């Protein structure tokens, strides 16, 4: 594939828009996390929970728009090895989002910092990728959005028992079991997406 | 045979859409007629390798599609225009056709010439640098036809290609079809029997998921009588064949 073809493909997937949105989310996450953590009336780094929950969600919502072309059936009758393309797409996007967001929480990575941002990025991108297969890329943002907003609204205990599993987006990264559902969502979503692609 | 279909069965849930359909097509322009829900679009999707069959055999361009290698080889020589298609609104017409040339794995050196030629054949060369979203519906349809023919396919599948084209464009399109049919197998699904009468060498009529007629447009026209509904001989033939098939 030449540079020209790659550029056309990235534009066909809306990657420039995704990139611009991701930069905004990253800057917002960095500024907001710093501001929250340094307010005297909050409890230090623990105040970054909203950023840890919402920044990966916003990035994943932006990613949803890139998971399909304008006409999936038209593209799929071409001889391209689409599974490889999809694997590269979802893999590269997840790594990029995780690295950028992790950079915003590096000064205190363990307490609602980089580690939790990486975990939530994995979970949210997995949810979005899986949803794209089941309901199409256009609405793929909806299940992840509904889930994270519902969990956030429920205000579960932090570092608790079952809450580690179902409220993983709000748990500190030290809550070991909170990684399990995020990693499972990431693996399942990626496998589904690579195997079948977004629903046309 | 470019297309050889035997006992093709496709089901959506419990509904049988294609029911043991047989079809054989070679080089030339072939019309595919049938009422709404007859299974025309499903047949096109199977031949375009979008939808897998539930039963029966499909050989395209001389090979049965048994694996990834055969599938990719067929797809390189395939052109497909669905009934409706999505496009990238910010792409120019040239970029849209060029993108599909890349996806069809055409050699890079051939692409610029092939894109211009495809656009010229559908009469869009003067709009090549306009954005897709600025085109009329008929022009977008012609851009869709251009992406389908950019790789000089040996098998070209066009589902309702003349929908949205004005009479002058339809006349030009029929001429293009005849030109394409010299070297390729072209299957055109349409409701417009006059397009078939003028542009197609052979016509297949599908009803209820089965092939109920295969022959020349003249043979279809001859199947009708004065008592059959229709404003032209071929329309009367069309309604007569359907009536006989449903009897």
């Amino acid at each position: 594939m030449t540079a020209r073809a790659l550029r056309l493909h990235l534009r066909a997937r809306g990657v420039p828009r995704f990139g611009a949105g991701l930069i905004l989310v990253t800057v917002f996450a960095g500024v907001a996390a710093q501001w929250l953590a340094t307010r005297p009336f909050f409890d230090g780094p623990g105040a970054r929970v909203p950023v840890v929950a919402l920044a990966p969600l916003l990035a994943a919502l932006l990613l949803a728009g890139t998971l399909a072309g304008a006409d999936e059936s038209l593209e799929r009758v071409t001889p391209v090895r689409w599974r490889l393309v999809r694997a590269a797409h979802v893999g590269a996007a997840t790594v990029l989002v995780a690295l950028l967001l992790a950079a915003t929480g590096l000064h205190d990575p363990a307490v609602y910092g980089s580690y939790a941002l990486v975990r939530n990025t994995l979970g949210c991108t997995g949810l979005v990728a899986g949803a794209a297969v089941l309901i199409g890329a256009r609405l793929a943002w909806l299940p992840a959005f509904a889930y994270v907003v519902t969990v956030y609204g429920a205000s579960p205990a932090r570092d608790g028992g079952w809450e580690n599993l179902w409220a993983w987006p709000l748990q500190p990264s030290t809550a070991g079991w909170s990684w399990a559902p995020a990693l499972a969502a990431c693996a399942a979503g990626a496998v589904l997406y690579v195997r079948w692609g977004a629903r046309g | 045979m470019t297309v050889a279909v035997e006992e093709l069965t496709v089901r959506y849930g419990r509904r049988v859409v294609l029911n043991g359909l047989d079809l054989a097509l070679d080089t030339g322009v072939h019309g595919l007629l049938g009422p709404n829900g007859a299974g025309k679009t499903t047949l096109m999707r199977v031949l375009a390798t979008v939808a897998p069959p539930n039963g029966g055999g499909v050989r395209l361009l001389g090979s049965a599609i048994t694996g990834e290698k055969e599938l990719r080889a067929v797809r390189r020589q395939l052109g497909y225009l669905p009934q409706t298609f999505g496009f990238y609104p910010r792409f120019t017409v040239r970029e849209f056709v060029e993108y599909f040339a890349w996806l069809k794995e055409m050699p890079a050196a051939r692409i610029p010439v092939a894109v211009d030629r495809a656009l010229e054949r559908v009469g869009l060369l003067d709009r090549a640098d306009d954005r897709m979203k600025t085109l009329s519906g008929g022009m977008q349809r012609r851009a869709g036809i251009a992406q389908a023919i950019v790789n000089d396919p040996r098998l070209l599948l066009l589902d309702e290609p003349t929908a949205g084209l004005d009479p002058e464009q339809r006349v030009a399109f029929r001429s293009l079809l005849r030109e394409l049919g010299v070297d390729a197998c072209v299957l055109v699904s349409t409701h417009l029997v006059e397009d078939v009468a003028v542009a197609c060498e052979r016509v297949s009529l599908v009803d209820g998921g089965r092939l109920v007629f295969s022959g020349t447009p003249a043979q279809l026209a001859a199947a009708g009588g004065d008592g059959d509904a229709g404003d032209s001989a071929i329309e009367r033939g069309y309604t007569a064949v359907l009536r006989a098939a449903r009897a």
Side-chain angles (χ1 to χ4, degrees):
Chain A
M1 187 181 257
T2 64
R4 167 84 179 158
L6 181 63
R7 208 159 50 235
L8 284 174
H9 178 70
L10 294 177
R11 281 180 58 207
R13 287 290 182 277
V15 171
R17 195 170 42 195
F18 167 69
L22 186 58
I23 288 169
L24 283 177
V25 169
T26 304
V27 170
F28 168 77
V31 171
Q34 181 66 18
W35 187 85
L36 286 168
T38 53
R39 293 308 93 185
F41 40 87
F42 287 147
D43 56 350
R48 297 185 297 193
V49 172
V51 174
V52 164
L54 298 180
L57 174 65
L58 288 173
L61 302 190
L62 290 169
L63 177 66
T66 73
L67 294 177
D71 192 316
E72 280 292 294
S73 66
L74 202 54
E75 289 192 359
R76 285 185 200 172
V77 300
T78 61
V80 173
R81 289 186 170 93
W82 285 110
R83 284 180 190 161
L84 282 179
V85 172
R86 289 195 291 264
H89 184 103
V90 76
T94 304
V95 169
L96 178 67
V97 173
L99 285 176
L100 284 176
L101 292 184
T104 68
L106 274 179
H107 54 278
D108 192 356
V111 187
Y112 291 110
S114 300
Y115 304 149
L117 282 162
V118 168
R119 178 200 60 202
N120 288 0
T121 297
L122 295 175
C124 288
T125 54
L127 288 176
V128 166
V133 178
L134 300 175
I135 58 175
R138 195 168 290 179
L139 291 175
W141 59 275
L142 194 55
F145 178 79
Y147 182 72
V148 173
V149 167
T150 303
V151 168
Y152 194 84
S155 300
R158 292 181 192 161
D159 211 358
W162 284 105
E163 284 83 0
N164 282 347
L165 288 176
W166 69 265
W168 53 268
L170 298 188
Q171 300 303 312
S173 59
T174 49
W177 281 103
S178 68
W179 285 80
L183 289 171
C186 181
V191 167
L192 283 172
Y193 177 70
V194 170
R195 174 71 180 80
W196 284 289
R199 185 173 173 159
Chain B
M1 278 294 157
T2 308
V3 173
V5 172
E6 287 179 1
E7 290 290 312
L8 177 63
T9 302
V10 176
R11 294 185 203 91
Y12 291 143
R14 277 191 283 178
R15 195 166 72 89
V16 180
V17 183
L18 294 177
N19 185 12
L21 184 137
D22 297 309
L23 187 70
L25 306 173
D26 218 336
T27 304
V29 184
H30 305 264
L32 181 64
L33 292 174
N36 290 331
K40 299 189 299 298
T41 291
T42 301
L43 174 60
M44 296 294 256
R45 285 171 58 81
V46 170
L47 298 181
T49 72
V50 181
N54 296 107
V58 179
R59 293 179 69 86
L60 300 174
L61 302 168
S63 66
I65 297 169
T66 51
E68 186 81 10
K69 192 178 164 192
E70 294 83 7
L71 183 63
R72 294 184 63 230
V74 165
R75 285 177 169 175
R76 266 188 217 102
Q77 302 175 79
L78 187 71
Y80 174 51
L81 175 71
Q83 206 167 26
T84 57
F85 68 97
F87 56 85
Y88 318 97
R90 298 183 70 81
F91 271 23
T92 64
V93 180
R94 189 190 304 281
E95 287 169 339
F96 174 67
V97 179
E98 186 184 348
Y99 181 50
F100 278 92
W102 287 111
L103 294 183
K104 292 177 184 193
E105 298 184 342
M106 292 182 69
R110 272 187 55 206
I111 288 178
V113 175
V115 169
D116 278 1
R117 182 160 172 263
L119 290 174
E120 189 177 18
R121 291 174 109 177
V122 299
L124 279 180
L125 196 53
D126 59 331
R127 304 293 299 267
D129 296 317
D130 291 1
R131 288 193 193 281
M132 287 291 289
K133 65 181 177 185
T134 66
L135 300 186
S136 67
M139 286 178 179
Q140 286 170 358
R141 197 86 194 131
R142 282 149 65 195
I145 295 167
Q147 67 76 28
I149 64 175
V150 69
N151 57 330
D152 289 326
R154 283 179 59 205
L155 174 58
L156 178 60
L157 305 163
L158 303 171
D159 198 351
E160 302 282 359
T162 52
L165 301 191
D166 64 38
E168 186 187 10
Q169 291 164 356
R170 275 175 57 199
V171 170
F173 177 68
R174 287 173 194 160
S175 164
L176 173 62
L177 277 185
R178 284 189 287 265
E179 193 185 309
L180 294 166
V182 173
D183 299 315
C185 173
V186 184
L187 182 61
V188 185
S189 169
T190 182
H191 285 295
L192 302 171
V193 288
E194 60 268 38
D195 282 351
V196 170
V198 176
C200 299
E201 293 150 42
R202 295 192 65 81
V203 55
S204 301
L205 208 162
V206 177
D207 187 40
R210 301 184 72 91
L211 185 71
V212 295
F213 175 87
S214 179
T216 64
Q219 287 169 331
L220 180 59
D226 289 339
D228 294 306
D231 295 326
S232 63
I234 196 163
E235 278 186 357
R236 286 190 287 276
Y238 173 84
T239 52
V241 169
L242 284 183
R243 186 167 39 79
R246 291 166 182 173

